[in-house]
Amino acid sequence: MPVLLCTLGTSWAVVPEAFLLGSTPLAYHRVLVLTSSGTVASVDRCLEWFKKNQPSVHLTVLRVENLDDLATAEDHHRFEEALYRCYFSLLEESAPEDIHVCLAGGFKTMSAAAQEAAGILGCGNLFHLTIPFGVRTETDEDLEKQIAEKVVRKITLGSRSGWPTMRELASEAPAIPSDSGKISITETRLRDAIYNRLEAANRLSASEHELATLPFPQIARWSPGQRDWLEKPLDPETDAEWMLALPKIDLHSHFGGFASSGELLRQVRAAAENPQNLPPIDPACTPPPGWPLSALDGPPEKRLSAYMKLGDQTGSALLKDPGCLAEHCRLLHAHLVAQNITYAEIRCSPANYATEQRSPWDVLSAIKRHLDEATAKQPSCRVNLIIIATRKEVGDFRTAIGRHLALAVTAAEHWTKDSESRVVGVDLAGYEDISTRAHYFRDDFRAIHRCGLALTVHAGENDDAEGIWSAVFDLNARRLGHALSLRDSPDLLRSVVDRRIGIEMCPYANFQIKGFWRGLGSDENPGVVSSHPTRALPTYPLLSYLEAGAAVTVNTDNIGISGASLTDNFLLLPSLCPKITRLQILHLLRNAVDQCFLSSREKVELLAKLHIPHFIS
């Protein structure tokens, strides 16, 4: 049944007239009237009429406290606030098409506010009442006669669809009194929220032609000042708070490289079920001086091994212990939540943590279970798994790769619930050179493609661009880990861009292992200190990839080994890529949404959760 919303001035008869003329053929079961504080007499007369003639109708008449007149803009804003609160109260129990709005009562500004509210929130019938000049309604008999003789006329203005997005503000609407009386308005928060959304919607409409080029459509609603701020270079000092507040996605993070030293390692070791079996602390696994802002020394082909050596303390010997494994999962998830990471794909090698008592499947199941438990407690971060197939310099590593691939296929078919952690892909990682390029593993990975599992390949970190070519064209990789040598092959880069193949870059790890250097410790960035020796170093290619249109993402690689969170990795970019802008940071984040190994539906849901904050220094 329809409900009626009216404004009321000094003429008490407006509300009964609206009730009798506005609802044909259905009678209103509820009438809500809003008026100023100086209309006591008309309010009493209105209440008297309904009590006598329509006692079953739920009538509420609210007078805005300390609002005798609407003489100023502030008065009008306070009335609007009260009106929107009343409107949302009706929307709690009625659909917009069941709300009828009468514009006849009170000051003209009241009518204007009611008409605007109906247009914003929607109504089934918007109407006005007219009466010839000089006609007065003193008694009930006058009212009945004027309606019978059609002295009072109804002018129907039609329905209004309203803005569904405005109705989302219902949760911000304070409750109104349930019975007739006064409503106190000391702030206009709801009214301001509505007008802010209107202003943002107008900006969005004006920016319609830009939507295809913006990383997130919501940016089109930002003010010109906020948009200009995005175009400025990222400042690692003043933007640290903004960078932490940004919802982020990590697509390249190794499970075993998390709690590798310090307090995290201590907590993991303290959780051991069999502490007598834990390996001793190895001083050789201590990061070098200046870490994490220092690159490793030595021949290029040995730096990766030196980097991985830093993670030995949290390697297989430690995580074979069930208690350590559980604590490692809990701490990792807590870290992701603290970093405001909304989604992460964590890479793991379950066979490395298996024992005679626990198979690789048991280990993988335990990792999933612990992550699911952590997500249930802190659901802001969702985690899926990628199984690592590791190439090695020597030995029968292909057998181990086959076992891990079989494990990935089984897990992907066994765990299918979107709400739980599951295996979404495989990573061909490990030793990378001409003898271990992707084309040697085409047959091994055939089942992965057949089963629809996604594939990422470490390529171009220590091998040249030919290794990337093989990953793309021989193994059909959807993403590339690092791809640092891609800059040496413009044609291949163009193919990677055209095919929308993701590039997973890890600024801290790339700097620490390869020594990329541009601005660190220079006059351009005097606040950044590094102990790296002076030598000719290449330019970090992330920004050139991004400007070429590549789907570049920023990731951590090994949070503990590198000693850097995802926020830290973003904040390092101005040192490696001077002049990178905040807008380009958002493009990197949007690339992560598009390149994650989720279904199209899940990506849409993930994108809807990402609210981009704006801070202006």
Side-chain angles (χ1 to χ4, degrees):
M1 294 179 64
V3 298
L4 177 63
L5 177 63
C6 286
T7 53
L8 175 64
T10 56
S11 176
W12 69 272
V14 166
V15 180
E17 290 166 352
F19 177 84
L20 294 171
L21 292 176
S23 60
T24 306
L26 296 175
Y28 298 117
H29 75 281
R30 183 183 181 191
V31 178
L32 180 56
V33 182
L34 187 65
T35 183
S36 60
S37 58
T39 56
V40 177
S42 57
V43 168
D44 291 343
R45 187 69 179 85
C46 178
L47 291 170
E48 179 185 337
W49 185 91
F50 272 90
K51 183 177 181 180
K52 175 182 177 181
N53 297 282
Q54 299 292 337
S56 64
V57 173
H58 180 192
L59 172 67
T60 305
V61 183
L62 298 176
R63 292 183 292 120
V64 183
E65 280 191 306
N66 302 316
L67 192 69
D68 292 336
D69 194 0
L70 271 71
T72 67
E74 181 182 0
D75 292 339
H76 182 63
H77 295 167
R78 289 177 60 218
F79 182 81
E80 285 183 305
E81 175 73 16
L83 180 64
Y84 283 119
R85 294 185 189 184
C86 290
Y87 218 118
F88 276 112
S89 175
L90 294 178
L91 285 170
E92 286 182 2
E93 57 187 57
S94 302
E97 57 268 23
D98 291 328
I99 298 177
H100 293 192
V101 180
C102 177
L103 305 177
F107 299 106
K108 290 182 179 179
T109 50
M110 288 184 179
S111 300
Q115 184 167 2
E116 187 164 27
I120 291 172
L121 297 176
C123 73
N125 186 17
L126 182 66
F127 65 95
H128 213 306
L129 300 176
T130 64
I131 190 168
F133 181 77
V135 175
R136 297 180 63 83
T137 307
E138 301 288 351
T139 66
D140 291 4
E141 290 73 19
D142 292 341
L143 176 64
E144 293 171 4
K145 181 180 178 181
Q146 291 163 2
I147 289 179
E149 296 178 356
K150 297 185 179 179
V151 176
V152 181
R153 294 178 179 271
K154 172 187 172 184
I155 301 176
T156 300
L157 303 178
S159 62
R160 298 292 185 270
S161 59
W163 296 50
T165 182
M166 296 298 177
R167 296 196 284 270
E168 294 173 0
L169 293 171
S171 61
E172 300 182 26
I176 65 170
S178 57
D179 299 317
S180 297
K182 298 178 181 179
I183 179 171
S184 176
I185 302 297
T186 58
E187 59 181 6
T188 60
R189 184 180 304 174
L190 179 60
R191 178 258 179 204
D192 295 344
I194 289 173
Y195 276 85
N196 286 339
R197 284 208 178 192
L198 281 175
E199 184 180 351
N202 289 332
R203 288 197 294 267
L204 178 62
S205 178
S207 303
E208 186 175 357
H209 64 286
E210 297 179 287
L211 288 178
T213 61
L214 292 174
F216 297 95
Q218 60 191 267
I219 296 172
R221 299 195 298 264
W222 288 21
S223 69
Q226 293 163 345
R227 294 281 295 275
D228 289 343
W229 178 79
L230 276 184
E231 299 284 356
K232 300 295 192 299
L234 181 73
D235 187 311
E237 293 186 5
T238 62
D239 292 334
E241 182 182 356
W242 179 68
M243 200 65 249
L244 180 60
L246 273 179
K248 295 177 283 297
I249 295 170
D250 196 343
L251 301 181
H252 188 136
S253 186
H254 291 269
F255 180 77
F258 173 58
S260 59
S261 62
E263 176 60 20
L264 290 175
L265 178 61
R266 188 200 66 76
Q267 291 183 58
V268 171
R269 292 178 66 91
E273 291 185 8
N274 302 291
Q276 69 279 4
N277 296 332
L278 298 185
I281 297 294
D282 185 355
C285 299
T286 302
W291 200 260
L293 282 171
S294 60
L296 294 165
D297 293 326
E301 66 275 8
K302 297 299 183 182
R303 292 181 205 150
L304 178 59
S305 297
Y307 176 84
M308 297 308 299
K309 175 69 176 174
L310 299 177
D312 282 356
Q313 293 188 121
T314 186
S316 57
L318 182 65
L319 296 181
K320 285 179 179 178
D321 185 281
C324 292
L325 185 72
E327 183 68 359
H328 190 91
C329 291
R330 187 190 69 79
L331 292 171
L332 172 59
H333 190 271
H335 170 86
L336 299 176
V337 170
Q339 283 295 308
N340 204 19
I341 294 175
T342 305
Y343 175 71
E345 290 175 357
I346 302 297
R347 302 166 190 226
C348 62
S349 302
N352 291 357
Y353 314 133
T355 64
E356 292 183 0
Q357 292 76 34
R358 297 215 305 173
S359 68
W361 177 260
D362 293 333
V363 173
L364 182 59
S365 299
I367 293 174
K368 168 187 160 50
R369 183 176 70 256
H370 298 318
L371 289 175
D372 283 341
E373 291 171 353
T375 303
K377 294 178 181 178
Q378 295 179 301
S380 61
C381 178
R382 179 182 172 193
V383 179
N384 280 329
L385 299 171
I386 292 176
I387 302 298
I388 301 174
T390 305
R391 298 166 287 189
K392 295 185 179 180
E393 190 171 1
V394 295
D396 182 21
F397 60 85
R398 296 186 71 141
T399 299
I401 285 179
R403 288 174 175 154
H404 265 126
L405 296 182
L407 183 65
V409 170
T410 302
E413 293 181 346
H414 189 68
W415 299 321
T416 58
K417 292 183 180 180
D418 295 348
S419 58
E420 299 179 358
S421 294
R422 68 183 196 271
V423 172
V424 294
V426 172
D427 171 29
L428 179 60
Y431 185 73
E432 182 193 350
D433 76 351
I434 192 172
S435 66
T436 59
R437 284 178 179 159
H439 63 270
Y440 290 110
F441 305 95
R442 280 177 295 195
D443 291 339
D444 302 85
F445 281 81
R446 201 174 301 276
I448 295 299
H449 295 305
R450 288 284 187 186
C451 294
L453 271 172
L455 175 62
T456 177
V457 177
H458 276 68
E461 182 182 20
N462 291 296
D463 195 5
D464 60 27
E466 192 65 21
I468 299 174
W469 196 101
S470 182
V472 171
F473 295 101
D474 288 330
L475 216 53
N476 297 303
R478 295 194 203 177
R479 297 200 310 244
L480 302 167
H482 307 295
L484 301 175
S485 59
L486 183 59
R487 63 184 179 176
D488 301 327
S489 179
D491 292 334
L492 180 57
L493 173 59
R494 187 169 61 253
S495 293
V496 168
V497 170
D498 292 344
R499 292 165 185 261
R500 294 304 292 166
I501 295 170
I503 302 176
E504 309 157 352
M505 303 193 77
C506 308
Y508 261 96
N510 296 154
F511 163 68
Q512 290 161 344
I513 296 170
K514 304 298 290 186
F516 289 102
W517 189 278
R518 189 174 178 183
L520 282 172
S522 69
D523 293 338
E524 197 168 336
N525 290 276
V528 180
V529 179
S530 173
S531 62
H532 196 284
T534 302
R535 62 172 178 239
L537 295 167
T539 299
Y540 193 49
L542 179 145
L543 190 54
S544 63
Y545 290 172
L546 185 65
E547 292 174 339
V552 187
T553 64
V554 170
N555 311 276
T556 54
D557 203 356
N558 293 278
I559 298 169
I561 297 175
S562 283
S565 65
L566 187 54
T567 300
D568 295 331
N569 275 272
F570 275 104
L571 293 175
L572 183 64
L573 288 179
S575 297
L576 300 179
C577 307
K579 307 303 181 184
I580 189 169
T581 67
R582 301 177 182 105
L583 184 61
Q584 288 171 322
I585 295 297
L586 296 186
H587 277 290
L588 292 169
L589 175 57
R590 176 55 191 266
N591 287 341
V593 176
D594 296 336
Q595 292 299 321
C596 70
F597 291 158
L598 293 175
S599 66
S600 297
R601 174 185 57 78
E602 290 174 293
K603 288 180 181 180
V604 171
E605 293 173 355
L606 176 60
L607 187 60
K609 296 178 182 178
L610 302 185
H611 171 70
I612 308 302
H614 42 74
F615 298 149
I616 297 182
S617 303

